Amino acid sequence: MKKIPTAMAIVASVVLLGSVAVLSPLNRAYAHTFKGDENVAFLSMVQQIKTETSLAGNNTSDKDIANHHLEHAAEALTNATLKEISEKNQRIATDLPANIEQLKTMINSSNATTEDINSQVQQISGLLDEAVQVRIDPAQVTNSTVQALVVASMLNEALEHYGEAIGFEGNMTNMSTMIPSGQHGMAMHSTSNASNIQANSTGASNTGATKIVSVPNYQSAVAFSEKALNLYQQIKAKAQPGKENAIRALDSSFPAFIKAIKDKAQAMQVVSLAHLRIHPNLMEAYNLKLAT
């Protein structure tokens, strides 16, 4: 079974960043991975390509940025994935990489209009939707646990790209690696830990904001954070019964996460929102399991 990487640092009964939600009592901070499967990985890949090709289409005035997004889209579509699609529908497996390459050609050309490029982005999105239809059982596509795992995957994408955007020399998807040895039992938002984490970011400033060293990665971080919220809102009504507190916490934490990224917040603030407020409440609301 495929493990969906989602670092989870949870401190017993701690209130973070002004949140009124109290997390479940777990003893110490650790990094975890959620149990997932190939369906979650495939659906996450679809969202990655849709997001990156859309960003490419929105950045035609800067070909370097647009091509950066297209490179990420192409990387997400692996040969193994294309083989899986071809077993169900050869046309889609052939047309999907060809259309991504065509989008690249159009963006790098001076002849394509904005309408042409937008149409090409929509063509790719449509092919991805077709791929989902032929590749995944409809019951899995609408399964709330599967959907919640895709949300968690989008959060990780946002964290990875934000780390690249600010030049962070570490793994923002694994909070345990960001805490100095011997300090895992301390409050994760302490001043000393925030300083230690921020020192690893080459773009750190002294004003509380963070300098962006990679614009395309910053754009991706914003887009994936917004994608996570959008997908969460689609499954909000599917939460487990009696999980109103978790839902309230998610309702406030997703916008706070997006705002932190848009405000170019320091690494620790962004990481804390994801790992200490969003992930544990996703677990609670949608019965997500940790991989052993």
Side-chain angles (χ1 to χ4, degrees):
M1 178 174 288
K2 184 179 180 65
K3 296 179 179 179
I4 306 301
T6 301
M8 194 72 63
I10 305 176
V11 180
S13 303
V14 63
V15 179
L16 284 177
L17 304 175
S19 171
V20 297
V22 178
L23 305 181
S24 301
L26 297 179
N27 293 330
R28 296 173 68 86
Y30 296 102
H32 299 92
T33 54
F34 285 133
K35 284 185 179 179
D37 59 21
E38 58 186 15
N39 291 328
V40 174
F42 192 90
L43 291 169
S44 298
M45 176 273 297
V46 165
Q47 295 299 338
Q48 290 172 38
I49 296 175
K50 284 188 175 186
T51 301
E52 294 290 3
T53 52
S54 178
L55 287 169
N58 291 334
N59 282 278
T60 55
S61 61
D62 191 320
K63 290 180 172 55
D64 288 339
I65 291 178
N67 281 304
H68 186 280
H69 290 303
L70 286 174
E71 288 174 7
H72 279 283
E75 288 172 1
L77 188 63
T78 65
N79 289 333
T81 299
L82 287 172
K83 183 176 183 298
E84 292 178 7
I85 297 173
S86 69
E87 292 172 354
K88 300 291 185 179
N89 189 305
Q90 182 60 55
R91 175 186 60 81
I92 298 173
T94 300
D95 288 353
L96 191 49
N99 274 268
I100 293 175
E101 185 61 30
Q102 178 62 21
L103 177 59
K104 181 177 181 179
T105 300
M106 294 171 70
I107 287 175
N108 289 311
S109 168
S110 58
N111 298 323
T113 66
T114 299
E115 291 74 17
D116 292 336
I117 290 173
N118 290 338
S119 178
Q120 187 66 17
V121 170
Q122 289 304 311
Q123 175 73 8
I124 293 168
S125 179
L127 286 167
L128 289 166
D129 289 339
E130 286 189 74
V132 170
Q133 291 173 6
V134 302
R135 170 66 180 73
I136 301 180
D137 185 274
Q140 287 295 303
V141 176
T142 58
N143 179 278
S144 61
T145 299
V146 170
Q147 291 174 316
L149 286 168
V150 175
V151 172
S153 180
M154 295 302 99
L155 284 168
N156 279 346
E157 287 293 322
L159 289 171
E160 288 176 7
H161 283 287
Y162 193 69
E164 292 289 335
I166 64 175
F168 182 75
E169 298 176 359
N171 182 5
M172 288 184 65
T173 68
N174 188 342
M175 192 172 187
S176 68
T177 66
M178 300 172 69
I179 306 301
S181 177
Q183 296 185 23
H184 289 95
M186 298 174 63
M188 294 303 162
H189 63 299
S190 68
T191 302
S192 60
N193 279 332
S195 298
N196 285 324
I197 288 177
Q198 197 61 22
N200 288 332
S201 175
T202 58
S205 73
N206 293 322
T207 64
T210 305
K211 180 181 177 181
I212 300 302
V213 299
S214 172
V215 171
N217 275 301
Y218 178 68
Q219 291 178 343
S220 294
V222 172
F224 281 116
S225 67
E226 293 176 336
K227 176 70 71 173
L229 172 59
N230 178 265
L231 294 176
Y232 159 68
Q233 289 174 332
Q234 294 177 30
I235 64 171
K236 179 178 174 179
K238 298 181 180 180
Q240 297 289 309
K243 303 302 181 182
E244 291 80 8
N245 288 341
I247 291 300
R248 279 193 290 270
L250 290 170
D251 284 345
S252 63
S253 297
F254 273 108
F257 180 68
I258 294 171
K259 185 177 186 300
I261 291 177
K262 288 185 174 180
D263 288 348
K264 304 177 180 65
Q266 295 188 5
M268 189 52 152
Q269 181 180 351
V270 175
V271 166
S272 296
L273 284 164
H275 295 326
L276 297 177
R277 285 174 53 174
I278 298 179
H279 283 150
N281 284 299
L282 275 177
M283 289 177 63
E284 180 74 12
Y286 299 98
N287 196 30
L288 305 187
K289 303 298 183 183
L290 294 175
T292 57

